[in-house]
Amino acid sequence: MLVSQLKNADGSITVVVREEGQGGRAVKGAASLHALAMEAADAGKSLKDVIDAHGLGDAVDVERAYAEGRLLSPITHPDPGHLHLTGTGLTHLGSAATRDAMHKKTSEAAEETLTDSMKMFRMGLEGGKPKPGEKGVQPEWFYKGNGTQAVAPGAALTSPSFAADGGEEPEMAGIYVISSKGVPFRLGFAVANEFSDHVTERVNYLWLAHSKLRQASFGPEIRIGKAPDDIRGFSRILRDGKVLWEKPFVSGEANMSHTFANLEYHHFKYGLFRQPGEVHVHMFGTATLSFGDGIRTQKGDVFEIGADGFGLPLRNSLAVAEEETVEIKQL
């Protein structure tokens, strides 16, 4: 089941469900996906059961709504400050050749010669997939912002005026709500563009936190349920309507050094992230970047990311913000 949201002329939201390759239907009496998810979490029911109980109404052409700019992020919160955009890195093995090379390097190199990134990667290889009942190693973790930084599918990702770069990161994101009793519940997974400033990150790894404080986009649809072990997708950049760069990307636990469960645990182990009613969009990393191939993006480029079984591809153009004067005043 794929779930999306579109905005109506009166400001209300229509929640749309469909199966891959089929038309959409509106969920009756649904104020938002957040409302449906909280209803399910607090009642101890599956999201599908709650949707079935509401029933389906009018047919909805999701692709047309997308083209008309009427799609919202597939989940939103009434107060954007209660939606969290977070992520984790150094979690993917990459291609088979890269995997072999990295295994060899991390197993043969002396500990003192490894970069912090390679040390973190090796920790994931050795402890990212714990046995049942055990706790695995914690990953690299970063914060991107709250719901004010979430950009709807089809809208522009805006790079700050002070940024050195604005580049895509094709990733899978887990989508979660916290029940009224403080229990995290996963709705499912969505394609995401974990938009970042790779030039700033490359200057010094301690600037990673700065480089990640950027907008992000996810969707247009959430695939309800567990993620496949092997996810195959594509990432491309279009400039002036032509493909500038394109590569496949892989995700899913078959292509990762961590399990999703281990990454989820090390996020939600913090009570800070188990506040009732809040929404979490947690991005799980990637091994594919245009920046790694020497691509420098520019204003007007269009990012397109998609994956088999996850619905319509995610499209966002690149915009650059005007410079602002920031003045700190004394009270």
Side-chain angles (χ1 to χ4, degrees), residues 272-284:
L272 169 67
F273 298 139
R274 300 195 306 273
Q275 299 303 304
E278 295 197 328
V279 175
H280 289 256
V281 178
H282 192 61
M283 289 158 268
F284 290 110

Side-chain angles (χ1 to χ4, degrees), residues 4 93 123 125 137 170 181 233 287 297 299 304 308 314 331:
S4 57
L93 300 169
M123 289 169 67
L125 289 176
V137 67
K181 294 183 179 179
T297 59
K299 183 178 179 180
E304 187 173 70
D308 295 341
L314 176 63
L331 287 176

Side-chain angles (χ1 to χ4, degrees), residues 26 76 82 84 93 120 251 263 283 296 304:
T76 49
H82 291 284
H84 302 279
L93 300 169
M120 183 68 73
S251 192
L263 299 175
M283 289 158 268
R296 289 299 302 269
E304 187 173 70

Side-chain angles (χ1 to χ4, degrees), residues 13 32 34-35 75-85 143 145-150 275-280:
I13 293 173
S32 66
H34 175 257
I75 190 167
T76 49
H77 193 285
D79 179 352
H82 291 284
L83 185 151
H84 302 279
L85 298 171
Y143 176 70
N146 59 29
T148 64
Q149 296 286 83
Q275 299 303 304
E278 295 197 328
V279 175
H280 289 256

